[in-house]
Amino acid sequence: MRPLIISTIVVLFSAVAVLGCDVPLVHYKTMKCTPVGSRPDGCPERYDCPSLQAHDNNKCYFNGKTYDIDQRVPDTEVSEFCSVLCYCRSANPSAKFRCAHVDCPEFFQRFDYDNCLRQYERKGCCASGKVCGDARDRLATCELENEIYKEGQRMRFKDNKCRTCICSASFNRNATETDPNCYESVCGFELFGEKHLYGGAIPVYKQDACCPWEWRMPKETDSVVKGAGKPATDPNLQCKYGNLTLDVGDTLNIQQNAEDRKMTCSCQVPPLMQCVLN
């Protein structure tokens, strides 16, 4: 998602968005959809998503790339999901990825948190090693948002859950956009949630997470609550959800039980609606 001003990014609803746009859009960024047009609020008018709008059931899609049956995804692109050997396989109704899961050694070992720390590498799943005692105390330190970290530790941004940095001796807290040890997280729903993604579901975000927390399938009891805006004359500027068609600004009337987590679902930036857990 790179409309207009590429270098100016803010995060709202814990999702990367264009300056002034308060709509969670990380799902579009993950699928490498193309923003089309611009609105006064800073949001694109819509996104063009080939993996959705021109989907081929005999292919798999991940991170903007298309994979044929039996084609493998490079391990470096899925390592942060603790996965390896991901390949596209034929399935009904749509091709899907099959991956091997990595069980890190630290998952099964007790750890001396008072005396040691684990070190990580960029986009890695498992720890690359550990440092203890005096050696730990001699490690370089980093400061990020008033927190102190030691070399090799993961650093999280309080207001940008999508970005991570690895503390290094050369870390510059004033240049995190260009630091080679800082990176944007890639969401894994294309690897593991194709049944929902291509089955008509919409992303559900929660306030403290970068990626969609879950996906909501249409229900027969859903209905449309019309917004104040004018109906769209261009179908590309509408959201389709099951048998429903929503204009930008329309919301979904959801029948929820008292014990359900409350959410608000709306058509904000087509083609997909999105929900936010309240």
Side-chain angles (χ1 to χ4, degrees), residues 21-79:
C21 182
D22 63 355
V23 179
L25 301 174
V26 171
H27 53 290
Y28 290 138
K29 179 181 179 183
T30 293
M31 293 185 285
K32 296 297 189 289
C33 299
T34 303
V36 178
S38 61
R39 304 190 316 216
D41 63 358
C43 296
E45 290 184 335
R46 64 179 179 87
Y47 277 84
D48 181 17
C49 302
S51 62
L52 288 175
Q53 295 150 324
H55 185 77
D56 185 339
N57 287 339
N58 294 311
K59 296 184 182 296
C60 299
Y61 303 85
F62 175 68
N63 200 22
K65 299 178 182 177
T66 303
Y67 293 84
D68 296 321
I69 301 299
D70 294 329
Q71 187 176 1
R72 273 189 57 184
V73 181
D75 287 345
T76 53
E77 295 190 20
V78 297
S79 60

Side-chain angles (χ1 to χ4, degrees), residues 63-110:
N63 200 22
K65 299 178 182 177
T66 303
Y67 293 84
D68 296 321
I69 301 299
D70 294 329
Q71 187 176 1
R72 273 189 57 184
V73 181
D75 287 345
T76 53
E77 295 190 20
V78 297
S79 60
E80 62 183 297
F81 308 114
C82 297
S83 297
V84 294
L85 305 177
C86 291
Y87 72 95
C88 179
R89 71 179 182 90
S90 179
N92 185 26
S94 178
K96 61 188 298 183
F97 287 107
R98 172 169 286 178
C99 303
H101 180 71
V102 175
D103 285 326
C104 299
E106 61 259 34
F107 295 168
F108 309 98
Q109 300 172 351
R110 299 185 66 179

Side-chain angles (χ1 to χ4, degrees), residues 2-27:
R2 298 172 180 260
L4 299 181
I5 303 177
I6 297 177
S7 61
T8 304
I9 299 178
V10 295
V11 175
L12 296 167
F13 291 105
S14 300
V16 176
V18 185
L19 180 63
C21 182
D22 63 355
V23 179
L25 301 174
V26 171
H27 53 290

Side-chain angles (χ1 to χ4, degrees), residues 81-152:
F81 308 114
C82 297
S83 297
V84 294
L85 305 177
C86 291
Y87 72 95
C88 179
R89 71 179 182 90
S90 179
N92 185 26
S94 178
K96 61 188 298 183
F97 287 107
R98 172 169 286 178
C99 303
H101 180 71
V102 175
D103 285 326
C104 299
E106 61 259 34
F107 295 168
F108 309 98
Q109 300 172 351
R110 299 185 66 179
F111 191 73
D112 183 2
Y113 288 97
D114 293 331
N115 188 52
C116 304
L117 63 82
R118 292 192 178 105
Q119 293 183 303
Y120 294 88
E121 295 179 352
R122 187 178 186 272
K123 290 194 173 184
C125 166
C126 305
S128 57
K130 68 177 182 180
V131 182
C132 301
D134 292 341
R136 180 194 64 173
D137 297 334
R138 291 193 296 269
L139 290 173
T141 60
C142 305
E143 181 180 351
L144 180 67
E145 296 181 343
N146 299 317
E147 297 287 341
I148 302 298
Y149 301 86
K150 288 188 177 293
E151 190 172 358

